[in-house]
Amino acid sequence: MTIDDVSAITGEALFLIIKMSAPMLLVSLVVGLVVSIFQTVTSIQEATLTFVPKVVILFLTIMVLGHWIANGLTGYMQKLWSDFSIYIR
């Protein structure tokens, strides 16, 4: 296994991590922005108002996209395990 192989595996893993976490991060960003605008407009400064909607929406996002995330991760792991004999040389 060469340094190029390790770099390729690491690059694929990092890209997969970014690709799988991006939807949840974007949803959290949008919900946080909407709640912040709501707090600014109504002058309500409650700490739980920012936390609870994010947790609920992230839970729903994971429920909706969980299958896609699991398929991506298992596909990557299957690719790594199927090429295992190449990597141990």
Side-chain angles (χ1 to χ4, degrees), residues 6-18:
V6 173
S7 296
I9 291 170
T10 306
E12 288 178 39
L14 289 175
F15 180 71
L16 185 68
I17 289 169
I18 291 169

Side-chain angles (χ1 to χ4, degrees), residues 33-62:
L33 183 64
V34 168
V35 169
S36 295
I37 290 171
F38 176 75
Q39 283 183 323
T40 302
V41 169
T42 60
S43 298
I44 298 173
Q45 298 301 321
E46 180 64 32
T48 57
L49 187 60
T50 60
F51 180 73
V52 173
K54 280 185 189 179
V55 170
V56 170
I57 296 297
L58 282 177
F59 179 71
L60 293 174
T61 303
I62 290 172

Side-chain angles (χ1 to χ4, degrees), residues 21-31:
S21 64
M24 289 167 285
L25 292 173
L26 290 174
V27 167
S28 178
L29 177 77
V30 169
V31 170

